Amino acid sequence: MAATKTFVLDIIDGFRRDPNARALPPGMLPNNNKPWDIEDAYEATARSPLARQLKARHLQMIAIGGVIGAGLFINTGRALALAGPGSLVLAFAIVGSAVFCTVHALGELAVLFPVAGSFSAYSTRFLDPAWGFAMGWNYVFQWLAVIPFEIVGASIAADYWDHGGISNAVWITIYLVLLCIVNCLDVRAYGEAEFVFTMIKVTAIVGFIIFALVIDLGGGPNGHYIGGEFWRNPGAFLNGFKGFASVLSVAAFAYEGAELVGLCAAETKYPRQSIPPAIRKTFWRITFCYVISMLMVGLVVSSSDPQLVAPASAIGDPTVSPFIIAIRNAGVKGLDSVFNAVILLATFEVANSSLYATTRTMAALAEQRQAPAYLAYIDRHGRPIAATGTCLLISLIAYLGATSSNSQTNALVWITSISSLAGIFTWASICLVHIRFRQGWEYQGHSLDELAFRSVVGVIGSYYAFVVYVLFLILELWVAIVPIGWEELGPSDRATNFFQAYLTVPVIIVFYVGYKLFFRTDMVRNDTMNLSIGTLKLTLEQIREEERAKRMERSSWRKIYEAIQSRRRGLFLRSQDDTEMDWGFRTASAADL
């Protein structure tokens, strides 16, 4: 009995704030009436009490396949029917190239400044506190919108088997309870959950690519060779350039979450070692999980397939997923149920990641006095409990998706549209921050050689991605004003379509202008840019200790692999020495390698 009582008391005590780690310095507490100070904001995010427990393998799996859910598996079906396979692949390739540049720019910043809040804090530091405020809340709204969307999607995925026998409200309740359990554990639980879920998703996507290739070449049960038939008839590009512009938002929504690696920097055990490999793996995420999978979908599913154009009440239903449609059309029994299970897990994983992103951003905003102070409460285990509870309460709006088909449809359409544009603003802000950071870094006499990690595409990549995002917003405005089939829409429908597509813009403007006028903030200049607070600086002894700890964490399989590689390298060097003696010319030496 005494042991049980002690265990319960330890759990309760774990939710208390660590007395030695304050999220807000005493001078920043509201009851001190101290004016907002940008230097205090830097300090608060730099010494946030979040626990650094995420490992390299967690980050790498998050980078490869984290936050891949309904945006890829379900929404692409309607996009395929609207614009055709060519436009779909092209949209994913263009947006993917910009996201690749964005994530590398973020990686450069996250390795040097592994602070809480990541890109919203960077906007405050390198652009303008008002813009950091607007982008922080934009990111919060972005993921708060995704949580109920994915929960409702997961509940609809369960209907694939019971055909509505169990109320969606029951499934929503189960998922919300699971979200609460996972996020009330420490950040390692989130990392392990991401590792397992992402492994399943990536395996399923690679398996589908192989499956689609076999079916396309005539290896299916019916033995029919498809080849490029669906690209010729009904065609690769439907509805012209407007069709292509219309599916850009689908691609953007599917890519959301690629920047989550940067947000994890504040809770990464060894950011200098763990973040760069994870950032480099985004290339494979973009190539395999998105572009190649969309290419294979376009080869085995016709854009004229009536299953893609579901009734309005079926939006979010996995039966309209082009992945499941391809499996059903191939006549492979049982495999569609397996992939539906993957979709269910994927949607829950995205909801879990969305909650993680929202709570960390909320806590970081509160640490900078850009959100209510209670949201900065972080307990002894590094959990932002107050922010987590707030987000879970707001996520109860997911029950709107269980009341009727009409409310379910309207909620999903509005949430998807708002979230896609919010992501574009986040990515554009990251690129602009990287450009300003490089300018300030050079102005203050620093060299690029001082950076522990540099973007492989450099500042040019950030300029390119920023231009892509600006063009995207212009095209989205055009499509919002004059959508496909606008002639058949009434004034009310046109207004609804516009605000569904562009509601994010006025919200950001209100937040930015309002904060700017109230606090009278200035743009950050090169000479006043703070490049020291929160910078990751390690001594030689700390680097050696970090290397030793990393070696201790490596698995037995990793150690065996490295031993084999070391052995092969030694044999290679000896063979090179023999070649030099036999042939009389120099090929390579150990010093060169």
Side-chain angles (χ1 to χ4, degrees):
M1 178 67 74
T4 303
K5 183 178 180 181
T6 303
F7 176 73
V8 172
L9 290 176
D10 287 342
I11 293 178
I12 296 174
D13 187 65
F15 285 96
R16 295 193 176 99
R17 190 194 295 273
D18 186 348
N20 299 317
R22 299 185 65 88
L24 288 169
M28 291 183 67
L29 291 175
N31 57 9
N32 285 31
N33 295 320
K34 180 181 177 181
W36 185 87
D37 184 80
I38 192 170
E39 297 293 331
D40 286 345
Y42 300 160
E43 289 283 359
T45 55
R47 55 191 181 88
S48 173
L50 292 172
R52 292 188 177 274
Q53 297 177 339
L54 291 178
K55 299 180 181 180
R57 62 184 179 88
H58 297 145
L59 290 189
Q60 291 181 22
M61 292 307 292
I62 291 172
I64 292 173
V67 204
I68 295 178
L72 175 69
F73 292 127
I74 298 177
N75 292 0
T76 51
R78 282 181 169 270
L80 177 63
L82 181 67
S87 294
L88 189 62
V89 173
L90 185 60
F92 270 86
I94 292 176
V95 176
S97 66
V99 170
F100 176 81
C101 298
T102 304
V103 173
H104 270 261
L106 178 60
E108 182 178 306
L109 295 166
V111 172
L112 186 62
F113 303 99
V115 299
S118 188
F119 23 86
S120 63
Y122 299 152
S123 295
T124 296
R125 179 186 290 238
F126 301 120
L127 294 177
D128 183 351
W131 186 249
F133 172 79
M135 284 299 97
W137 281 106
N138 171 68
Y139 201 66
V140 167
F141 295 150
Q142 172 185 341
W143 290 115
L144 271 179
V146 171
I147 295 173
F149 169 77
E150 297 291 345
I151 289 176
V152 172
S155 69
I156 297 174
D159 290 340
Y160 191 84
W161 296 299
D162 63 19
H163 304 291
I166 300 177
S167 172
N168 282 349
V170 175
W171 294 114
I172 290 172
T173 303
I174 293 173
Y175 299 142
L176 285 173
V177 171
L178 289 175
L179 281 179
C180 182
I181 293 174
V182 172
N183 285 272
C184 282
L185 301 174
D186 58 31
V187 72
R188 285 177 298 182
Y190 166 75
E192 295 299 338
E194 283 295 296
F195 185 85
V196 174
F197 289 148
T198 301
M199 184 79 73
I200 295 173
K201 288 190 294 183
V202 172
T203 301
I205 291 173
V206 173
F208 175 82
I209 290 173
I210 298 172
F211 166 83
L213 182 61
V214 172
I215 297 299
D216 186 65
L217 297 177
N222 55 20
H224 175 64
Y225 173 80
I226 301 176
E229 176 182 344
F230 296 146
W231 284 61
R232 295 187 297 269
N233 183 26
F237 300 93
L238 305 180
N239 292 311
F241 183 73
K242 187 176 290 187
F244 164 75
S246 300
V247 300
L248 284 173
S249 60
V250 176
F253 183 72
Y255 275 114
E256 282 186 3
E259 75 288 341
L260 201 59
V261 176
L263 192 65
C264 294
E267 295 177 271
T268 302
K269 195 171 185 179
Y270 306 113
R272 185 184 64 86
Q273 288 192 348
S274 302
I275 295 176
I279 293 296
R280 295 187 186 103
K281 285 180 172 58
T282 56
F283 172 80
W284 304 110
R285 172 194 180 107
I286 293 169
T287 303
F288 282 97
C289 295
Y290 292 103
V291 178
I292 293 182
S293 66
M294 288 297 97
L295 175 64
M296 300 313 298
V297 161
L299 287 174
V300 296
V301 179
S302 172
S303 57
S304 61
D305 193 317
Q307 298 176 87
L308 295 172
V309 187
S313 60
I315 293 179
D317 192 330
T319 57
V320 303
S321 166
F323 294 83
I324 288 182
I325 291 174
I327 294 171
R328 285 204 304 255
N329 290 348
V332 181
K333 296 182 179 179
L335 189 58
D336 57 332
S337 290
V338 173
F339 210 92
N340 183 69
V342 172
I343 293 177
L344 192 153
L345 288 174
T347 50
F348 176 78
E349 182 271 333
V350 174
N352 186 45
S353 294
S354 302
L355 185 59
Y356 172 87
T358 307
T359 55
R360 270 56 182 183
T361 305
M362 274 186 171
L365 287 170
E367 288 170 3
Q368 300 172 83
R369 289 192 67 184
Q370 295 177 331
Y374 83 94
L375 293 173
Y377 185 94
I378 298 176
D379 67 13
R380 298 188 176 190
H381 295 291
R383 299 170 297 194
I385 293 299
T388 300
T390 301
C391 292
L392 286 172
L393 286 175
I394 296 174
S395 298
L396 295 178
I397 64 175
Y399 284 106
L400 291 175
T403 55
S404 67
S405 59
N406 288 333
S407 64
Q408 186 181 81
T409 300
N410 292 334
L412 292 177
V413 170
W414 279 92
I415 290 171
T416 303
S417 301
I418 294 173
S419 181
S420 62
L421 271 191
I424 292 297
F425 274 97
T426 297
W427 297 335
S429 181
I430 292 172
C431 294
L432 194 56
V433 163
H434 183 238
I435 293 169
R436 289 290 298 121
F437 160 73
R438 283 288 190 93
Q439 291 173 350
W441 188 259
E442 181 181 358
Y443 181 86
Q444 296 187 21
H446 293 282
S447 168
L448 294 181
D449 294 333
E450 299 176 48
L451 299 176
F453 173 75
R454 278 186 285 174
S455 169
V456 69
V457 290
V459 72
I460 295 177
S462 295
Y463 276 111
Y464 162 75
F466 184 77
V467 170
V468 169
Y469 298 140
V470 171
L471 292 176
F472 175 95
L473 292 174
I474 295 173
L475 290 176
E476 190 67 14
L477 177 62
W478 173 49
V479 173
I481 296 174
V482 191
I484 295 176
W486 66 274
E487 301 91 346
E488 302 174 2
L489 299 176
S492 176
D493 292 333
R494 292 180 187 177
T496 299
N497 184 79
F498 174 79
F499 284 108
Q500 284 180 345
Y502 241 69
L503 185 60
T504 304
V505 178
V507 171
I508 291 176
I509 293 175
V510 168
F511 271 68
Y512 174 71
V513 174
Y515 194 91
K516 187 82 171 175
L517 294 177
F518 187 81
F519 287 97
R520 303 291 181 180
T521 60
D522 297 321
M523 299 290 290
V524 179
R525 303 191 307 271
N526 290 337
D527 58 334
T528 60
M529 191 177 291
N530 190 302
L531 300 175
S532 58
I533 297 178
T535 305
L536 182 63
K537 296 178 181 179
L538 298 177
T539 64
L540 182 60
E541 184 56 36
Q542 287 175 321
I543 293 175
R544 288 173 177 170
E545 181 61 30
E546 188 176 298
E547 292 285 352
R548 284 193 292 268
K550 288 290 292 179
R551 284 196 297 269
M552 293 295 293
E553 289 183 359
R554 288 172 185 162
S555 64
S556 299
W557 290 111
R558 179 69 181 177
K559 292 177 181 177
I560 293 172
Y561 171 78
E562 290 179 350
I564 294 173
Q565 290 295 98
S566 178
R567 174 67 177 169
R568 290 179 60 188
R569 188 168 184 269
L571 292 174
F572 173 74
L573 292 176
R574 285 197 294 272
S575 66
Q576 293 293 80
D577 291 339
D578 294 341
T579 303
E580 290 179 21
M581 289 187 296
D582 294 342
W583 296 95
F585 62 85
R586 187 176 183 276
T587 55
S589 65
D592 295 327
L593 299 175

